[in-house]
Amino acid sequence: LVFAGAGSGKTRVLTYRIAYLIQERGVLPRNIFAVTFTNKAADEMRERAEHLLGKSARGIWISTFHSACARILRQHIDHLGFRPNFVIYDDDDQERHLKSVMKELDLDFKMFHPRAMQSAINRLKNEGVTPEQYRPSPFNIFEKRLSLVYQRYQEDLQRNNGVDFGDLLLFVTLLFKNFPEVLRSYQELCRYVMVDEFQDTNLIQYQLIKRLAE
């Protein structure tokens, strides 16, 4: 755990640890997994590693949470009933799709705003809650409609072989939970796990890293 103020060099420490593991301890680059939150941060860490290690940096898995999960799902999403050439929906695609679902369910956009539905579904996914697990309050009209929309939305995504950003992490967590052999293969691959900006992890990201590092 590196605990220090902003701009004091925490990411630099992670990069130097990667170099130390490879150069001094003989760790194979492919056994190192470094994860961060933005593409910019991942690119910066990769550039620093390449500067320190040259060709030895090839094979290190430096990635954002979402791109790491997308890579895992391209290999194993068939376990969840999707095809490997799935389409990833961005926020705008997600909102359009939700509006379409809500129209089919004849929901009033003024009473149930699509953005509010989108935010609620994203929050549930970040908490690792699937439509089947969600239990709305019987006295909360928004939650009861949310349950319907979430279920239909996920069914439509699967029909279209599509996933959204929240699904990337949720689905990998489900894969690791329900298919131990898949989890074991990544535990064996990712023997050194480093997380940049760990304090920003949400529940689903924490669960993912915890399973990987067990």
Side-chain angles (χ1 to χ4, degrees), residues 68-124:
C69 287
R71 176 172 158 181
I72 292 168
L73 289 175
R74 293 286 179 204
Q75 299 293 320
H76 306 285
I77 202 169
D78 56 310
H79 288 300
L80 303 177
F82 289 75
R83 296 186 303 282
N85 62 339
F86 60 85
V87 176
I88 300 173
Y89 285 45
D90 64 18
D91 290 339
D92 291 338
D93 296 328
Q94 184 188 30
E95 188 181 354
R96 265 195 307 275
H97 196 145
L98 276 171
K99 283 179 177 175
S100 169
V101 167
M102 290 172 71
K103 279 179 186 173
E104 287 173 17
L105 293 170
D106 203 26
L107 295 181
D108 184 349
F109 284 9
K110 288 179 182 174
M111 191 171 177
F112 305 100
H113 199 281
R115 284 280 174 89
M117 285 283 176
Q118 184 177 18
S119 178
I121 287 172
N122 290 340
R123 188 174 64 252
L124 288 171

